[in-house]
């Protein structure tokens, strides 16, 4: 009860203290408001001048009464301030209870965003954030003057430099102002220069010329020309519902495909064919081939499929036979207008051989090289002559230009076999009289085609230059030293004529020499040096020695020379091997001198048989192990042993050495370097396992690296040198056998 009364008294005391603070704060606010109201009254009163500041201050009560006696002026002032203020002024709840309350004009400090004049009975509504005042717009001259001093982002780029240049050009000193010229026909602003006058206004847009891609004209098919429209629509509706087709493979429309289509016509008037590469890329050409080989009409095409109609008079055509696979009209539909490219291609290929009807690319149809003769009697490669002061090889630029030229040329031949290409070579030579390049395509679907063998065979038969070879095309250039047949005939005739002239001159010279008799004095000693007599004397003197040797002696001397040469080669190889072994031994000795093996401690712990067996079983169950590589024992291996011994007493080291003596040597080295105890050496499926016990009195060393062992890099170098010496000695042993 006493504690509760104390609490109540303390709370009452705290509330009195807070009320007293509020009263004192209100008194201070009222005093400050009174002083501010006096100043505002002096400013707002229109009859009061600046001289009124020097008059004696009236009492506060009189000022308040005067201001209260004329409330209209104050309300007008407050209303004008509320009109420009973003915050509306709300009346105070105490203003109705005190109608005669004194009013005051209170200025707002610059850091307070509120009304400039606020009456005591009015409150500012601060619920909405006031809008930010807009900055006054700068004139063009101020912007131009500010262009050099304003900050530019990215001052090292092209955009920033272009901005700086534009800002300099827009400075007031650089601008030439001109009067506005008003014309009845046009309206232009700017200087009198022609460039400024020709500039378009910003709201005038240029008319963009849009070039649309021209659509390919639809080809009128033979079915649309022959069949009625109602029949064609009925056939197309039935074709869209078909789900059984004949598969056309890479070989094209072969006789098997034609037979399958005709067998389908026996039960149905329509037959569907679905094409594989390459004919699926050119369905217009596929339609022409099918119509040509089957005698039907293609009525519907969709992606890589087409439907063939057998025709109204199919029975009559079946009895009379329509299997004219290749007729005179191999160039297209009768009455079809061929382009200039097709006409020139046909003229170029005319007389070279039969055409390939199953060609999958646009016309003209190339020559089928498989139908040309395999062997041409009396065929010889063409004669070639290098141009005078010329280079027969092609430069890189010439090779590139020829490949670009060959890309737009039509295909001349289609080839499907690898050997026996004399007929094709003869046709290529005939083509080279009108064209520099021969373009050969390789047939699709033909088994065992080898474009490399084809290209080598054609190069050997024609002597041309291979521009391109891949699994699709072989392109041959006739070469700079190629001579057409007519030119080669003229050259050979000219050479024969010149040779005949030389013979005539020689015969006439001999006749003239025989007709003249010169008296020679035998007493004169004439020299035989460089004459025919000297040559004959040498032949008579030494010719018998060469003829007297037998064939066996010549073979023996040749074999002896070969053995001497082989012996010199082997001696050179032996010298190189010995030098390699010597250098490797020198480097290995230097590394071995840095490695000082540690000796076993004389005072070692002794393990009983039971302890060894226990440690061996523990090590066999361990999953973690330390693998020993080709470097052997180095400081990193010893550090790894210490890391294993940190967590367990036994460590298992796995080595891949083959001989058991090397394994024992490695185990003793690990025991000596680490200070542990060798438990056992176990044989594994791959390699051996060395089990080491750390000892009962084991203490973790402060330094893991041993100064007497090699580093990891030195150990690898030592292993490489040992391997190099072994290989060199083995090769030396093999060569000596």
């Amino acid at each position: 009860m006493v504690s509760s009364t104390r609490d109540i008294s303390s709370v009452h005391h705290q509330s009195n203290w807070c009320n007293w603070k509020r009263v004192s704060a209100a008194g201070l606010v009222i005093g400050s408001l009174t002083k501010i109201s006096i100043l505002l009254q002096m400013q707002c009163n229109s009859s009061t001048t600046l001289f009124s500041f020097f008059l004696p201050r009236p009492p506060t009560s009189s000022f308040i009464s005067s201001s209260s006696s004329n409330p209209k002026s104050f309300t007008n002032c407050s209303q004008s301030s509320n009109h420009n203020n973003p915050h509306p002024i709300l009346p105070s709840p105490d203003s109705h209870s005190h109608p005669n309350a004194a009013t005051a004009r209170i200025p707002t400090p610059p850091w307070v965003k509120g009304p400039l004049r606020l009456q005591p009975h009015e409150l500012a509504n601060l619920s909405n954030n006031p809008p930010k005042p807009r900055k006054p717009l700068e004139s063009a001259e101020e912007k131009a003057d500010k262009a050099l001093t304003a900050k530019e982002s990215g001052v090292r780029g092209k955009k920033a430099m272009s901005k700086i240049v534009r800002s300099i050009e827009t400075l007031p000193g650089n601008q030439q102002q001109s009067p506005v010229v008003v014309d009845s026909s046009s309206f232009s602003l700017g200087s009198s220069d022609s460039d400024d006058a020709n500039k378009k206004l910003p709201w005038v847009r240029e008319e963009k010329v849009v070039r649309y891609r021209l659509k390919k004209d639809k080809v009128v098919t033979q079915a649309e020309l022959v069949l009625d429209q109602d029949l064609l629509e009925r056939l197309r509706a039935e074709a869209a519902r078909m789900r059984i087709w004949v598969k056309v493979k890479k070989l094209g429309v072969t006789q098997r495909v034609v037979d399958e289509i005709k067998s389908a016509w026996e039960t149905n008037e329509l037959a569907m064919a679905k094409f594989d590469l390459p004919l699926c890329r050119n369905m217009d050409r596929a339609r022409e081939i099918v119509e040509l080989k089957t005698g039907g009409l293609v009525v519907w095409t969709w992606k890589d499929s087409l439907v063939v109609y057998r025709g109204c008079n199919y029975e009559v055509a079946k009895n009379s036979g329509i299997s004219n696979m290749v007729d005179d009209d191999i160039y297209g539909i009768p009455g079809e207008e061929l382009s200039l490219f097709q006409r020139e291609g046909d003229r170029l290929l005319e007389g070279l051989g039969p055409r390939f009807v199953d060609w999958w690319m646009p016309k003209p149809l190339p020559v089928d090289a498989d139908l040309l003769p395999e062997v041409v009697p009396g065929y010889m490669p063409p004669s070639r002559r290098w141009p005078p002061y010329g280079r027969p090889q092609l430069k890189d630029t010439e090779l590139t230009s020829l490949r670009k030229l060959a890309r737009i040329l039509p295909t001349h031949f289609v080839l499907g076999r690898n050997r026996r290409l004399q007929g094709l070579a003869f046709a290529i030579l005939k083509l080279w009289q009108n064209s520099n390049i021969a373009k050969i395509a390789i047939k699709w679907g033909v088994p065992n085609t080898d474009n490399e063998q084809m290209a080598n065979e054609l190069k050997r038969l024609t002597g041309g230059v291979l521009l391109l070879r891949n699994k699709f095309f072989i392109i041959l250039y006739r070469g700079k030293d190629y001579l057409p047949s007519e030119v080669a005939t003229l050259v050979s005739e000219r050479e024969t004529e010149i040779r005949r002239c030389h013979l005539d001159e020689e015969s006439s010279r001999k006749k003239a020499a025989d007709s003249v008799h010169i008296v020679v004095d035998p007493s004169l000693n004439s020299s035989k040096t460089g004459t025919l007599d000297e040559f004959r004397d040498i032949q008579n003197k030494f010719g018998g020695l060469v003829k007297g040797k037998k064939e066996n002696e010549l073979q023996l001397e040749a074999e002896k020379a070969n053995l001497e040469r082989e012996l010199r080669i082997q001696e050179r190889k032996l010298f190189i091997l010995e030098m390699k072994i010597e250098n490797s031994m020198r480097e290995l000795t230097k590394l071995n001198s840095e490695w000082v093996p540690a000796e076993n401690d004389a005072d070692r712990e002794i393990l009983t048989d039971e302890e060894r067996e226990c440690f061996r079983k523990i090590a066999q169950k361990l999953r973690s192990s330390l693998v020993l590589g080709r470097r052997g024992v180095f400081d990193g291996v010893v550090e790894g042993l210490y890391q294993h011994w940190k967590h367990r007493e036994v460590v298992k080291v796995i080595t891949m050495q083959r001989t058991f003596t090397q394994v024992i040597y490695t185990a003793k080295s690990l025991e000596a370097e680490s200070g542990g105890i060798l438990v056992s050496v176990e044989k594994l499926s791959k390699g051996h396992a060395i089990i080491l016990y750390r000892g009962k009195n084991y203490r973790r060393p402060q330094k893991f690296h041993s100064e007497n062992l090699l580093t990891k890099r030195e150990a690898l170098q030592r292993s490489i040198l040992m391997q190099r010496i072994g290989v060199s000695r083995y090769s030396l042993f093999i060569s000596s056998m």
Side-chain angles (χ1 to χ4, degrees), residues 594-596 635 703-710:
E594 299 178 1
W595 177 31
V596 181
D635 55 357
K703 293 182 179 180
F704 292 145
H705 296 282
S706 301
E707 297 179 357
N708 60 331
L709 293 177
L710 299 177

Side-chain angles (χ1 to χ4, degrees), residues 675-719:
I677 301 172
L678 179 62
V679 176
S680 65
V681 178
E682 300 293 333
K683 180 71 174 68
L684 302 177
S685 59
K686 292 183 180 180
H688 294 78
I690 302 172
I691 301 172
L692 293 172
Y693 172 57
R694 68 181 182 182
K696 300 176 183 178
N697 300 325
Y698 170 75
R699 289 186 179 181
R700 187 174 177 82
Q702 297 181 356
K703 293 182 179 180
F704 292 145
H705 296 282
S706 301
E707 297 179 357
N708 60 331
L709 293 177
L710 299 177
T711 60
K712 186 176 182 180
R713 180 177 297 178
E714 292 173 350
L716 178 60
Q717 188 177 359
R718 177 175 175 272
S719 175

Side-chain angles (χ1 to χ4, degrees), residues 13 53 122 133 224 247 286 301 353 375 377-379 386 421 426 449 490 518 672-673 683 716 737:
H13 178 69
F53 285 98
E122 293 177 347
E224 294 176 352
K247 185 67 176 178
T301 305
V375 178
Y379 174 79
W386 290 359
L421 304 176
F426 184 77
T449 54
L490 292 175
I518 300 174
E673 298 294 342
K683 180 71 174 68
L716 178 60
M737 290 180 62

Side-chain angles (χ1 to χ4, degrees), residues 560-571:
K560 184 179 178 181
N562 291 335
L563 289 175
E564 289 177 356
R565 183 172 57 84
E566 189 68 25
L567 183 61
R568 287 194 301 270
I569 294 173
Q570 293 296 331
E571 288 178 355

Side-chain angles (χ1 to χ4, degrees), residues 112-166:
V112 177
K113 296 180 181 180
L116 295 177
R117 295 178 179 87
L118 193 65
Q119 298 181 8
H121 62 278
E122 293 177 347
L123 297 176
N125 186 10
L126 302 177
S127 60
N128 298 325
N129 294 327
K132 295 182 179 180
R134 295 183 179 180
K135 294 182 180 180
L137 298 176
E138 297 180 356
S139 61
E141 295 182 357
E142 292 179 356
K143 287 185 178 179
D145 295 337
K146 199 176 180 181
L148 292 177
T149 59
K151 293 183 179 180
E152 292 286 344
S153 61
V155 294
R156 296 187 180 182
K158 293 183 180 179
K159 293 183 179 180
M161 296 304 297
S162 61
K163 287 182 180 179
I164 294 173
V165 171
R166 286 197 299 268

Side-chain angles (χ1 to χ4, degrees), residues 564-701:
E564 289 177 356
R565 183 172 57 84
E566 189 68 25
L567 183 61
R568 287 194 301 270
I569 294 173
Q570 293 296 331
E571 288 178 355
R572 177 64 180 172
K573 290 182 179 180
L574 178 62
F575 174 73
I576 294 173
L577 286 175
E578 289 178 351
M579 290 298 296
K580 287 183 178 180
I581 293 172
E582 185 178 354
N583 295 335
S584 300
M585 288 296 295
R586 190 184 305 111
E587 295 178 3
L588 183 61
T589 305
K590 188 184 297 184
L591 288 175
N592 288 336
S593 62
E594 299 178 1
W595 177 31
V596 181
E599 297 181 357
N600 290 327
D601 191 5
D603 187 12
R604 291 187 303 173
E605 297 182 12
I606 300 174
L607 295 178
T608 60
D609 296 340
E610 291 81 2
E611 291 176 342
R612 287 183 183 274
E613 184 67 21
C614 179
F615 289 144
R616 188 178 67 83
K617 290 183 179 180
I618 292 173
Q620 288 178 355
K621 295 179 182 180
L622 288 177
R623 292 186 177 180
S624 60
S625 60
L626 184 64
V627 181
L628 201 64
R630 63 175 296 176
R631 293 177 176 84
V633 181
F634 61 98
D635 55 357
V637 177
V638 179
E639 182 180 356
L641 289 174
Y642 292 149
Q643 293 293 341
H644 277 268
W645 282 341
K646 179 181 178 181
H647 304 285
R648 57 190 66 86
E649 295 180 341
V650 182
V651 63
K652 181 170 60 175
V653 182
I654 297 175
T655 177
M656 295 297 175
Q657 294 173 345
R658 297 182 180 180
T659 59
F660 191 71
T661 55
Q662 292 179 352
V663 176
I664 295 299
Y665 178 76
T666 303
K668 291 183 178 180
S669 299
L670 289 173
E671 183 182 14
E673 298 294 342
S674 63
I677 301 172
L678 179 62
V679 176
S680 65
V681 178
E682 300 293 333
K683 180 71 174 68
L684 302 177
S685 59
K686 292 183 180 180
H688 294 78
I690 302 172
I691 301 172
L692 293 172
Y693 172 57
R694 68 181 182 182
K696 300 176 183 178
N697 300 325
Y698 170 75
R699 289 186 179 181
R700 187 174 177 82

Side-chain angles (χ1 to χ4, degrees), residues 266-454:
E266 294 178 359
T267 58
N268 191 2
E269 59 182 355
L270 297 176
M272 188 175 185
K274 193 168 187 179
F275 290 84
D276 197 357
L277 290 172
L279 273 176
C280 65
R281 298 176 179 174
N282 192 355
M283 292 302 294
D284 292 338
R285 182 62 195 151
R287 173 178 51 78
E288 295 176 5
I289 294 172
V290 170
E291 290 179 351
L292 176 66
K293 290 192 174 184
T294 61
L297 297 174
V298 177
V299 296
W300 186 74
T301 305
W302 174 253
K303 292 184 179 180
D304 57 347
S305 304
L306 52 83
V307 178
V308 191
Y309 175 55
R310 66 186 181 184
C312 301
N313 56 348
Y314 174 68
E315 295 295 335
V316 178
K318 179 179 178 182
N319 297 330
S320 61
I322 60 169
S323 60
N324 296 326
M325 305 248 334
V326 182
D327 52 358
D328 296 335
D329 185 24
I330 63 173
Y331 303 110
I333 302 172
E336 181 185 4
E337 294 183 1
L338 298 179
S339 62
L340 178 62
F341 181 79
Q342 296 178 5
R343 292 198 302 269
E344 289 297 324
D346 292 334
R347 185 183 60 81
L348 185 65
L349 299 177
E350 186 177 358
L352 296 181
R355 301 298 182 89
F356 181 64
V357 184
D358 292 330
W359 180 237
W360 54 87
M361 294 179 69
K363 295 178 181 178
L365 300 180
V367 176
D368 193 352
D370 293 341
L371 300 180
L372 296 175
E374 297 181 355
V375 178
V376 177
Y379 174 79
M380 292 292 293
S383 60
R384 294 181 175 272
R385 296 291 182 90
W386 290 359
Y389 307 104
R391 179 184 177 185
Q393 291 82 10
L394 291 175
K395 298 180 182 178
D396 293 341
T397 54
E398 295 174 346
L399 187 64
T400 304
S401 62
L402 288 173
R403 285 176 178 172
K404 290 181 179 179
L405 177 63
R407 184 180 300 174
I408 60 176
L409 289 178
T411 305
H412 303 132
F413 302 96
V414 181
L415 182 60
R417 64 168 182 256
N418 301 332
R419 299 170 60 250
R420 298 179 178 273
L421 304 176
Q422 285 190 4
L424 176 59
F426 184 77
I428 289 174
L429 294 180
K430 191 175 179 180
L431 175 67
W432 276 348
Q433 296 180 6
N434 300 322
S435 176
N436 296 336
I437 297 172
K439 191 174 182 181
I440 306 164
I442 300 174
K443 289 184 179 180
W444 287 66
V446 179
N448 302 326
T449 54
D450 188 0
N451 55 76
E452 184 177 2
Q453 187 176 357
M454 295 177 185

